[in-house]
Amino acid sequence: MDFTSKERLDQWLDSAFRQYGNAEPRAGLEQRVLANMNKQQERIAPRSLWALTTAAAVAVIVFLWLAIGPQHTKHQPNEAQSRAHPVFQDLPPLRPSSGEPKRAPKEMRRIAGRNRTQVAAAPRLSQFPSVRPLSTQELELANYVKHFPNEARLLAQEHEQFEKQIEEAQRSATNGTTLREQER
Amino acid sequence: MAEAVISNGAISLAGTNEDALEVAVRNHARLVYRIAYSVLRNHHDAEDATQETFMRVLRYRRKLEGIDDPKTWLARIAWRVAVERRKKRPEPSLSDQEMAKAVSELRSQLASAEESVIGSEMQSLLDSLICRLPEHLRDAFRLSTIEELVPEEIAQVLGTSESSVRSRMFRARRILKEKLASLEGRYGFHKQREA
């Protein structure tokens, strides 16, 4: 080694590394940092206020849509709903309910039950099934009933009697076959 | 100093978190700057890194009150910020002429008994030698040149043990010494031939 002494090199290294690490910043570093942070905070504050206002507005819109929206959504009309229309409510039933209703198979009942729970999640309606617009056929029928109520009633009664006769004929036919089988 | 700043209306930070933050800036801004400078070796970049460090602290200011040792916490953030910035820059390299000049400066300084200020060439030479050290040695050595940090704090910043830091510092210093000696031999030999 060509240096005057190892000790001198060590001393020099200590001094060099001390100078290497001890850098002095420009005067007023703390003030600049604080001023910058203050500016940043001022920028953040209105942004967070905007975010809060927007979130509140969105929440109100969603709430209103959930409260009012589903009542205005359109559904396909079905028979039960059509029967609920006030025009048909004062008419006698076309087909009398014959005893107990037929029971649905187990599978069907399970599906129906599942559907019922899904419907229950929706907001409760004032009238169920809700009033739906009538089809063209139903509207024509309603007009006829409105203008000729007596004729409509007679027609309904005739239709009812005709259906009864058919049912009796079917019953007697089935009884006849069972008697013949017993005689044999 | 901070009171004067507040009275001037330049700073209007209010609340406990902001007070803690202000205290942190007042007490540790210089340390943060030195850590950044030890990695970046440029005053402008070091100041930018200092600002960025405190911006990050501002983002997580709620944590500041629950921290036992804000100095080490800040030092760790500053270190990460500086290292991220350093990655974007190329490694420094010295020309033969600059190297010869630095070595002649070293020889003249060693010849005199007084402690003298090292020049920019010597600073660049040291930086380029430190940059060539293995990463784990370089990190420990750079932080050890900052007088505010003791080996225990350096260990916390780097996430290692104090003994490991001491060992790394010793090895880094030995390597640098050897490199300087070899450089002196090479450039001193050239100088003798030129003469």
Side-chain angles (χ1 to χ4, degrees):
Chain A
M1 195 171 180
D2 206 18
F3 294 128
T4 44
S5 74
K6 276 188 176 182
E7 274 179 29
R8 177 72 190 113
L9 179 62
D10 279 329
Q11 278 175 4
W12 183 86
L13 277 174
D14 285 338
S15 159
F17 293 146
R18 215 172 22 249
Q19 287 179 49
Y20 181 85
N22 290 345
E24 281 300 318
R26 275 193 300 133
L29 174 74
E30 292 86 355
Q31 288 168 13
R32 286 196 296 280
V33 169
L34 286 169
N36 202 20
M37 282 163 72
N38 196 41
K39 214 185 288 175
Q40 184 69 15
Q41 274 199 329
E42 279 171 6
R43 232 183 302 163
I44 290 166
R47 223 186 291 163
S48 59
L49 196 70
W50 257 104
L52 266 175
T53 319
T54 315
V58 167
V60 167
I61 290 165
V62 167
F63 176 76
L64 286 173
W65 184 81
L66 283 174
I68 302 163
Q71 289 179 15
H72 292 286
T73 51
K74 288 182 179 176
H75 295 286
Q76 288 291 324
N78 58 33
E79 198 190 341
Q81 286 168 345
S82 305
R83 292 283 303 167
H85 198 274
V87 175
F88 296 105
Q89 277 176 359
D90 54 345
L91 285 175
L94 291 173
R95 192 179 293 178
S97 55
S98 53
E100 286 183 9
K102 285 180 183 175
R103 281 191 176 180
K106 269 187 179 178
E107 183 65 17
M108 290 295 285
R109 264 184 282 155
R110 199 160 53 83
I111 293 163
R114 204 188 301 151
N115 288 341
R116 216 180 297 133
T117 50
Q118 284 173 356
V119 169
R124 185 170 287 186
L125 302 171
S126 55
Q127 184 188 343
F128 186 80
S130 61
V131 182
R132 297 285 164 222
L134 297 171
S135 65
T136 48
Q137 277 185 327
E138 286 169 336
L139 275 171
E140 280 170 13
L141 184 62
N143 271 333
Y144 180 77
V145 170
K146 207 175 182 183
H147 290 106
F148 310 102
N150 294 327
E151 283 84 349
R153 197 167 289 128
L154 278 170
L155 271 171
Q157 282 169 357
E158 284 294 319
H159 185 74
E160 209 174 313
Q161 279 177 357
F162 178 67
E163 279 199 339
K164 270 182 188 174
Q165 282 171 2
I166 289 169
E167 273 179 20
E168 277 171 14
Q170 278 178 340
R171 226 175 284 152
S172 62
T174 50
N175 283 341
T177 50
T178 48
L179 276 170
R180 250 178 266 151
E181 278 172 3
Q182 280 173 355
E183 279 171 10
R184 276 180 199 167
Chain B
M1 190 161 64
E3 283 79 11
V5 174
I6 292 163
S7 65
N8 286 339
I11 304 300
S12 58
L13 300 171
T16 49
N17 282 326
E18 281 71 20
D19 288 341
L21 208 57
E22 202 182 308
V23 169
V25 173
R26 230 185 306 139
N27 292 344
H28 306 301
R30 195 165 289 247
L31 168 69
V32 167
Y33 178 88
R34 280 183 174 167
I35 290 170
Y37 187 82
S38 76
V39 180
L40 298 164
R41 308 305 303 169
N42 178 299
H43 287 286
H44 187 77
D45 292 346
E47 178 142 353
D48 284 352
T50 308
Q51 295 279 8
E52 193 186 328
T53 301
F54 283 105
M55 284 300 127
R56 286 194 191 184
V57 173
L58 183 68
R59 227 176 293 158
Y60 303 106
R61 61 186 178 277
R62 281 178 194 160
K63 279 187 180 177
L64 189 61
E65 280 190 357
I67 286 164
D68 298 328
D69 187 4
K71 183 187 170 187
T72 320
W73 187 66
L74 275 167
R76 204 180 303 145
I77 297 171
W79 174 256
R80 280 187 201 148
V81 169
V83 169
E84 277 169 28
R85 282 175 172 250
R86 177 89 193 205
K87 277 178 189 166
K88 295 169 193 167
R89 289 177 14 180
E91 292 293 308
S93 59
L94 284 177
S95 65
D96 272 10
Q97 208 178 351
E98 286 169 320
M99 202 80 92
K101 209 175 172 184
V103 172
S104 75
E105 188 190 334
L106 172 66
R107 287 172 72 93
S108 66
Q109 285 189 1
L110 285 172
S112 72
E114 290 171 13
E115 190 177 304
S116 49
V117 179
I118 59 169
S120 60
E121 279 87 8
M122 200 63 233
Q123 289 258 10
S124 305
L125 175 64
L126 280 176
D127 190 35
S128 103
L129 291 177
I130 290 166
C131 278
R132 283 178 182 83
L133 287 171
E135 193 181 349
H136 64 291
L137 299 184
R138 186 178 61 212
D139 292 348
F141 186 79
R142 271 188 177 144
L143 288 171
S144 74
T145 60
I146 300 163
E147 65 181 2
E148 285 100 331
L149 290 176
V150 294
E152 192 190 343
E153 289 165 335
I154 296 170
Q156 281 178 27
V157 171
L158 297 176
T160 185
S161 65
E162 192 185 331
S163 59
S164 164
V165 167
R166 284 185 191 280
S167 145
R168 287 175 194 184
M169 280 160 59
F170 177 76
R171 279 156 63 198
R173 191 187 162 97
R174 197 183 58 202
I175 292 170
L176 288 172
K177 208 168 154 182
E178 283 168 8
K179 280 188 176 177
L180 276 171
S182 77
L183 274 174
E184 199 280 334
R186 189 156 29 124
Y187 285 93
F189 174 69
H190 284 308
K191 212 176 173 184
Q192 278 172 3
R193 272 180 66 182
E194 279 166 19

